[in-house]
Amino acid sequence: FQDEQSEDYDPWRAPELVDNSPAWSELSNVQRIQRVLFWIFRIAVVLGSLYLFICSLSLLSDSFRLLGGKAAGEALDSEGIVSNPIAGLMLGILVTVLVQSSSTSTSIVVTMVGAEILTVSNAIPIIMGANIGTSVTNTIVSLAQSPNRDEFRRAFGGATVHDMFNWLSVIVLLPIEIITHYLYWLSLALTSGIKGDSNAKQDLLKALTSPFTKLIIQLDKNVITNIAIGQKEYLNKSLIKSSCGSVVRIVPMNVSSLVNVTNETSGETTLEMVYESVNVSQAAKKHCRFLFANTGMSDPVIGIILLIASVVLLCVCLILLVKCLQSMMKGHVAKIIKKTINADFPGRWSVLTGYVFMLVGAGVTIIVQSSSVFTSTITPLVGIGVIELDRMYPLTLGSNIGTTTTGVLAALATKTGLHNAMQIAICHLFFNISGILVWYPIPFMRRIPIKLAKFMGNTTAKYRWFAVAYLVFMFFIIPGAILGLSLAGWYVLLAVGGPFLLLLIFIGIINVLQKRKPNLLPKGLQSWDWAPIWLRSLEPYDRIFSRICCYSKRSKPEVVACEF
């Protein structure tokens, strides 16, 4: 590896891994067979790890639904929250984080709009929040590469470039939507010819992963949807399926009937009871057969067990996947793969490279029906250097476009209100397209999300604990706090949040001027050295976490230093 102290060292560009194994021509026949078999074994491990990794994401999503799905449904049913666009935005983030799937939260919102419980205008901020919340999964996945500093830097940057794009898009487009309602009017014009209802069925079962995940847990996702549309009786119903369809049983029954019987001797006709045995078909519930079926445990308890198991499985699969890919990405093979993925088209066609990769990201996401699965799968590849951050960015944007097909399918599955449901699905599509038009075609604007992602990656490489703090604050504490202030009213939100927002804007402007035009600033603002160190540096917090780490490991004599 290159020396990190070298001036030419770039931690965002993975160093070439040197293949020290002997050349193919130097191997004997037995050694060649062994190498081929070893390659087949590694490919099998990669495919198996990738399969279980995707299954673990599905189980992780199910665990979050068991822990917070009902609360998310109740929140969506609150008229006071959804009528406030800021509260609706934060609600969309929290609901998507709780159910660990923007596809689920978007489908619920589309169903509510179709049932006329939510208006299209109120649903637009929730859809924007769902876009932000869906990026939490690949951010969690990046934590598995924290042992290696540079891999963690690249993986966390690759994950947060999705966050940066979504946050920046919302910051720009939500105020425009509140003022002009452009998404509402554009989608209304495009769906004006859609009338009536639809009997289309939505089939989003993942043919590959469901055989494994259904052996562990099966959830009735309609429970959350029914809670969200106001059916309170579902609050006491478990999310875990108690029956899986029905079976028809043939049951023999004795049927009695009165018939006229004529006496042959006297000629008299009398009524007599006649019994006859017939087979009657009866429908009975089919009991489910999976690991957590009929255990007697509550949904939260099963959710916690499933959460722990899915995280362990995710980490194990990710470690196996990364190690195998690293061993395979050496020498000539690595150069070919990296050059193919990260190279631009030749000549004047180079400007189209990013847009082609957007189409690739959109296509793969449509196939797997999950942007979380796609972005979480390629995040480790960014960490080990197979995919560069500049290439991850358009793939992520394409994934944002591809995930909007879930809303369209949900709209087609609604039994009533097809026009409104399709309108909010189109709003989701054009929100992502609008974000791309703002943050990608112009090279200067394109670099902003990437630079922010690199800043996040560099910070978390220096302070490992920062990644967890970022997750907690950006996806839980900040949305929860803003949601609470929004519920208190506009005046409270402006009184508390307004000065804080102005302070952040002021600090941002001063930081830019300090780097580019320091002479324009007063002498006291040309640096932040006058401010307390805990306001301008993470070092004091890092020392606290280091002491906690050392204290927890002080019983181990071999530990001489703790590093985050």
Side-chain angles (χ1 to χ4, degrees):
F1 294 98
Q2 292 177 340
D3 184 5
E4 291 194 20
Q5 304 302 321
S6 172
E7 294 181 359
D8 297 330
Y9 178 74
D10 181 6
W12 291 97
R13 189 176 298 275
E16 296 292 338
L17 297 176
V18 180
D19 189 1
N20 295 321
S21 58
W24 179 264
S25 57
E26 300 175 0
L27 299 177
S28 64
N29 291 334
V30 174
Q31 290 175 327
R32 290 179 179 180
I33 294 174
Q34 289 177 342
R35 177 174 288 188
V36 170
L37 291 177
F38 189 51
W39 263 89
I40 294 174
F41 172 74
R42 284 189 289 189
I43 293 173
V45 171
V46 168
L47 294 177
S49 300
L50 182 60
Y51 175 79
L52 292 177
F53 171 73
I54 296 174
C55 289
S56 69
L57 291 176
S58 177
L59 295 175
L60 183 67
S61 176
D62 289 340
S63 68
F64 274 92
R65 289 191 183 102
L66 288 170
L67 291 170
K70 290 184 179 180
E74 285 188 279
L76 286 170
D77 188 38
S78 176
E79 179 64 28
I81 297 178
V82 297
S83 60
N84 183 328
I86 303 298
L89 174 71
M90 298 303 145
L91 179 63
I93 297 174
L94 292 172
V95 168
T96 305
V97 170
L98 286 174
V99 300
Q100 277 290 290
S101 171
S102 63
S103 300
T104 300
S105 57
T106 302
S107 298
I108 292 174
V109 171
V110 169
T111 302
M112 294 176 69
V113 171
E116 298 184 352
I117 296 171
L118 267 180
T119 64
V120 174
S121 297
N122 288 343
I124 290 174
I126 301 177
I127 291 292
M128 292 182 178
N131 243 38
I132 295 174
T134 191
S135 57
V136 69
T137 306
N138 54 322
T139 308
I140 294 173
V141 167
S142 68
L143 299 179
Q145 290 177 274
S146 58
N148 185 298
R149 187 178 298 274
D150 279 343
E151 284 186 13
F152 192 28
R153 184 200 313 269
R154 292 188 290 266
F156 195 75
T160 54
V161 74
H162 196 185
D163 305 354
M164 298 302 107
F165 169 78
N166 288 331
W167 276 108
L168 290 170
S169 297
V170 167
I171 290 171
V172 172
L173 298 177
L174 180 59
I176 296 176
E177 174 61 24
I178 293 174
I179 296 170
T180 66
H181 300 285
Y182 86 99
L183 285 174
Y184 175 84
W185 294 114
L186 178 61
S187 60
L188 181 64
L190 292 174
T191 57
S192 58
I194 299 177
K195 297 180 180 179
D197 302 331
S198 171
N199 293 320
K201 294 184 179 180
Q202 180 185 10
D203 183 13
L204 301 180
L205 293 178
K206 298 174 182 177
L208 292 176
T209 59
S210 58
F212 176 78
T213 57
K214 282 188 174 181
L215 294 175
I216 300 174
I217 190 75
Q218 296 182 37
L219 300 184
D220 185 359
K221 299 176 183 178
N222 292 327
V223 173
I224 302 176
T225 304
N226 288 325
I227 293 173
I229 62 178
Q231 298 184 21
K232 301 297 183 184
E233 63 272 16
Y234 281 87
L235 286 170
N236 298 321
K237 185 176 180 181
S238 173
L239 283 169
I240 301 173
K241 284 186 177 181
S242 58
S243 61
C244 298
S246 59
V247 292
V248 178
R249 296 177 180 175
I250 305 299
V251 181
M253 295 183 64
N254 292 324
V255 179
S256 61
S257 59
L258 292 172
V259 296
N260 292 321
V261 179
T262 304
N263 192 314
E264 295 180 356
T265 305
S266 62
E268 294 180 354
T269 301
T270 59
L271 290 174
E272 293 186 6
M273 187 72 70
V274 177
Y275 295 92
E276 182 181 5
S277 179
V278 296
N279 293 326
V280 179
S281 59
Q282 290 183 344
K285 290 184 177 180
K286 182 181 179 182
H287 293 291
C288 296
R289 294 183 178 180
F290 53 88
L291 183 62
F292 289 102
N294 304 315
T295 59
M297 294 185 289
S298 65
D299 285 5
V301 173
I302 295 178
I304 292 173
I305 296 173
L306 197 61
L307 175 64
I308 296 172
S310 60
V311 169
V312 171
L313 179 62
L314 185 148
C315 292
V316 171
C317 293
L318 196 58
I319 292 171
L320 285 175
L321 189 64
V322 170
K323 294 300 181 184
C324 284
L325 287 174
Q326 281 181 330
S327 65
M328 296 167 67
M329 297 292 108
K330 291 182 179 180
H332 189 62
V333 175
K335 291 180 180 178
I336 294 175
I337 295 176
K338 290 180 183 179
K339 188 175 181 180
T340 302
I341 295 177
N342 298 309
D344 292 333
F345 293 151
R348 66 181 64 179
W349 301 105
S350 61
V351 296
L352 299 178
T353 306
Y355 299 98
V356 171
F357 277 93
M358 281 187 205
L359 294 176
V360 172
V364 176
T365 303
I366 291 172
I367 292 172
V368 300
Q369 279 294 303
S370 174
S371 60
S372 298
V373 169
F374 174 66
T375 55
S376 298
T377 302
I378 62 177
T379 294
L381 300 181
V382 178
I384 63 176
V386 176
I387 300 176
E388 293 182 1
L389 185 60
D390 288 356
R391 186 64 69 237
M392 174 72 168
Y393 184 41
L395 287 171
T396 296
L397 301 188
S399 182
N400 270 9
I401 297 294
T403 194
T404 60
T405 58
T406 302
V408 174
L409 291 173
L412 293 174
T414 56
K415 297 180 180 179
T416 58
L418 175 61
H419 175 271
N420 289 340
M422 187 60 72
Q423 185 180 351
I424 189 60
I426 296 298
C427 285
H428 190 195
L429 172 63
F430 276 92
F431 166 68
N432 282 308
I433 292 176
S434 301
I436 291 173
L437 292 176
V438 172
W439 298 108
Y440 193 81
I442 303 173
F444 168 75
M445 300 293 285
R446 184 187 309 168
R447 300 304 304 173
I448 294 176
I450 295 176
K451 286 183 178 180
L452 289 174
K454 286 186 175 182
F455 171 78
M456 302 299 293
N458 289 333
T459 304
T460 203
K462 187 175 181 180
Y463 309 109
R464 310 290 180 90
W465 52 268
F466 177 79
V468 178
Y470 169 85
L471 275 172
V472 174
F473 274 88
M474 293 299 290
F475 293 102
F476 292 98
I477 294 179
I478 293 178
I482 297 177
L483 178 61
L485 292 173
S486 301
L487 294 178
W490 278 104
Y491 295 107
V492 177
L493 178 62
L494 290 175
V496 178
F500 184 74
L501 179 61
L502 291 175
L503 178 62
L504 290 179
I505 294 173
F506 173 77
I507 293 173
I509 294 173
I510 296 300
N511 281 333
V512 173
L513 291 176
Q514 284 177 349
K515 291 182 178 179
R516 299 190 176 184
K517 299 287 183 178
N519 295 332
L520 297 179
L521 294 172
K523 189 173 181 180
L525 289 178
Q526 291 181 1
S527 71
W528 297 111
D529 294 340
W530 53 270
I533 189 171
W534 54 273
L535 283 178
R536 56 185 171 86
S537 174
L538 295 176
E539 287 290 345
Y541 309 101
D542 187 57
R543 287 195 293 268
I544 293 173
F545 280 102
S546 297
R547 289 173 184 172
I548 295 173
C549 169
C550 291
Y551 179 79
S552 64
K553 295 183 177 181
R554 66 181 182 179
S555 60
K556 300 180 181 180
E558 69 275 8
V559 177
V560 296
C562 293
E563 185 180 42
F564 283 89

